[in-house]
Amino acid sequence: MDIQQLTDFSPEAIDKAFAAVLADAQSTIASPGFDAEAFRLEWLGRKQGRLKQLSDAWLKTAPVEGKKLIGQRFNALKEAIEGALENAGTGTAKVTVSSLDITLPGTTQPVGAEHPLVKTMAEIVDVFRKMGYSTRLGPEVESDFYNFESLNFPPNHPARDTQDTLVIADQEGKPLRERLLMRTHTSPVQIRSMLMEEPPLRLVIPGKVHRNDESDATHSPVFHQVEGLCVDTNITFSDLKGTLDHAMKAFFGSSVKTRFFPSFFPFTEPSADVQISCIFCGGKGCRKCKHSGWIELLGCGMVDPNVFEAVNQRRIELGKDPVYDTSKISGFAFGMGVDRITMMKYGISDIGLLYSGDNRFLEQFA
Ligand code: DAH
């Protein structure tokens, strides 16, 4: 191709001239028996290459008003030719130009959706928010002090065995209370909150927890809890019952009944397990509730005075007032498993699906 001198420097004429050069390059690249090395020499050669000639003929001689556009088109052309040459080597020869081609299909951005666990957790939190509770979060890597000691699990207490703990490696050199572990429950955030804040408190604490559990249809080493803590003057077990009864009705529907059974947790005294009437059969008895009519859903109780004492002690160490005076204040706490509630709600039979990251599963909840 002989290089024509440009005489017309209107944008249309410039675009037309560059389009002709590009078309020429494209047809060479697309032709059978295309030789990439020969093409490179012919078009991109530093001294004799066509692009060099083009630059000499069009760019250098252009009048001021045409120079900017020619410069831009020249760079775009060079990029397009180099790109096409690269693609030719991978068998996907295609010349692209950096100007906008509105006929190309757009890139779709799939809209994400909340994971069913996150959705359920937010819905539970919302029930309590409407009762005046606010949300707190805490770390998943926790110290023995927050996860156990301050919650009235003394060292070597058998209650620790109920929480199959995943510990962080190489902590033996530290005093026990400073050793790190993966939190086994959200309860340590009760302590962290009471260290930072003074009563009255009404808090919900959603989060991820970890246990050394073998995976099966109902167990996963990672799962989720929502914790609650209410501390004020004159908080009684009736407040606990009323609050949880209301929360269960707000979450599962107003026909749901609750009942409380004596239980044990080191950090509450007395402690209780809460059951709700079976949401599948209405309490008549079915396979889901093992024909009992009831489903066990959460643990709760009145905050053990030893917990307030541990908080006061630590507050003093931190230079703060020990304001959790057990002669004046009391409180209740509760904790529930989000995964089980989610599985019940959506009819999911294998907890592993919630952690598989499989979009075919997750899309069903979008
Ligand atoms: N932390 C307990 C667990 O993981 C659940 C729990 C029970 C939390 C009773 C509480 C509570 O706050 O009062 O098994």
Side-chain angles (χ1 to χ4, degrees), residues 155-222:
N156 301 317
H157 193 281
R160 287 177 173 231
D161 297 347
T162 63
Q163 313 229 342
D164 303 281
T165 311
L166 291 161
V167 298
I168 304 291
D170 301 327
Q171 301 289 303
E172 293 76 12
K174 293 180 181 172
L176 179 64
R177 53 156 51 187
E178 287 170 28
R179 292 185 197 167
L180 298 177
L181 44 83
M182 300 308 290
R183 70 174 177 194
T184 56
H185 49 177
T186 41
S187 306
V189 191
Q190 289 187 28
I191 307 295
R192 289 183 173 275
S193 304
M194 287 192 276
L195 291 179
M196 305 281 290
E197 300 170 53
E198 303 194 353
L201 297 181
R202 275 165 184 76
L203 305 177
V204 260
I205 301 149
K208 196 179 279 180
V209 301
H210 305 254
R211 291 197 195 172
N212 186 16
D213 275 337
E214 203 74 57
S215 298
D216 62 26
T218 55
H219 294 85
S220 158
V222 177

Side-chain angles (χ1 to χ4, degrees), residues 50-72:
R50 284 206 199 188
L51 287 186
K52 168 78 169 73
Q53 293 173 37
L54 257 188
S55 150
D56 290 344
W58 290 1
L59 194 55
K60 295 212 173 125
T61 60
V64 203
E65 64 277 15
K67 246 193 173 97
K68 187 168 169 219
L69 185 60
I70 293 183
Q72 285 169 356

Side-chain angles (χ1 to χ4, degrees), residues 163 184-185 187 190 211 225 227-228 265 267-268 299-301 333-335:
Q163 313 229 342
T184 56
H185 49 177
S187 306
Q190 289 187 28
R211 291 197 195 172
Q225 293 185 333
E227 185 89 14
F265 300 101
F267 40 91
T268 45
C300 64
F334 55 87

Side-chain angles (χ1 to χ4, degrees), residues 30-330:
S31 63
F34 166 66
D35 179 344
E37 214 25 65
F39 180 90
R40 193 188 304 280
L41 258 180
E42 183 187 345
W43 283 84
L44 303 171
R46 284 243 200 125
K47 289 192 182 136
Q48 301 290 321
R50 284 206 199 188
L51 287 186
K52 168 78 169 73
Q53 293 173 37
L54 257 188
S55 150
D56 290 344
W58 290 1
L59 194 55
K60 295 212 173 125
T61 60
V64 203
E65 64 277 15
K67 246 193 173 97
K68 187 168 169 219
L69 185 60
I70 293 183
Q72 285 169 356
R73 292 292 180 270
F74 184 80
N75 287 335
L77 176 71
K78 186 156 181 264
E79 256 175 46
I81 291 178
E82 285 171 350
L85 192 57
E86 238 166 63
N87 290 337
T90 62
T92 52
K94 186 165 168 282
V95 176
T96 50
V97 237
S98 52
S99 61
L100 180 67
D101 180 352
I102 60 165
T103 65
L104 285 173
T107 329
T108 47
Q109 294 286 347
V111 178
E114 267 180 337
H115 190 283
L117 283 171
V118 173
K119 206 150 128 182
T120 307
M121 203 146 58
E123 282 166 13
I124 297 170
V125 165
D126 208 49
V127 165
F128 288 96
R129 249 217 320 251
K130 291 191 173 116
M131 288 192 268
Y133 284 65
S134 44
T135 308
R136 296 291 180 273
L137 301 174
E140 284 171 49
V141 177
E142 203 30 295
S143 69
D144 187 278
F145 175 76
Y146 289 109
N147 198 80
F148 290 125
E149 191 185 321
S150 60
L151 287 163
N152 201 29
F153 292 78
N156 301 317
H157 193 281
R160 287 177 173 231
D161 297 347
T162 63
Q163 313 229 342
D164 303 281
T165 311
L166 291 161
V167 298
I168 304 291
D170 301 327
Q171 301 289 303
E172 293 76 12
K174 293 180 181 172
L176 179 64
R177 53 156 51 187
E178 287 170 28
R179 292 185 197 167
L180 298 177
L181 44 83
M182 300 308 290
R183 70 174 177 194
T184 56
H185 49 177
T186 41
S187 306
V189 191
Q190 289 187 28
I191 307 295
R192 289 183 173 275
S193 304
M194 287 192 276
L195 291 179
M196 305 281 290
E197 300 170 53
E198 303 194 353
L201 297 181
R202 275 165 184 76
L203 305 177
V204 260
I205 301 149
K208 196 179 279 180
V209 301
H210 305 254
R211 291 197 195 172
N212 186 16
D213 275 337
E214 203 74 57
S215 298
D216 62 26
T218 55
H219 294 85
S220 158
V222 177
F223 58 104
H224 294 76
Q225 293 185 333
V226 172
E227 185 89 14
L229 176 67
C230 169
V231 181
D232 205 338
T233 49
N234 299 318
I235 299 290
T236 66
F237 201 90
S238 308
D239 297 311
L240 167 59
K241 286 187 78 172
T243 302
L244 290 180
D245 185 70
H246 171 80
M248 293 304 116
K249 287 181 162 63
F251 189 80
F252 291 105
S254 54
S255 59
V256 156
K257 295 191 189 67
T258 53
R259 63 179 191 182
F260 290 67
F261 275 81
S263 184
F264 173 77
F265 300 101
F267 40 91
T268 45
E269 182 59 35
S271 304
D273 284 330
V274 184
Q275 299 182 346
I276 61 165
S277 52
C278 179
I279 57 167
F280 301 105
C281 63
K284 288 194 200 69
C286 66
R287 261 180 49 200
K288 293 265 168 61
C289 59
K290 300 198 183 95
H291 303 283
S292 70
W294 296 90
I295 293 178
E296 195 165 309
L297 217 56
L298 68 151
C300 64
M302 302 305 291
V303 178
D304 192 304
N306 287 349
V307 171
F308 288 134
E309 286 310 333
V311 167
N312 284 333
Q313 192 57 44
R314 184 78 186 125
R315 285 181 66 97
I316 292 169
E317 286 166 22
L318 295 169
K320 296 185 177 185
D321 290 335
V323 286
Y324 289 83
D325 180 348
T326 50
S327 68
K328 294 202 182 104
I329 59 138
S330 53

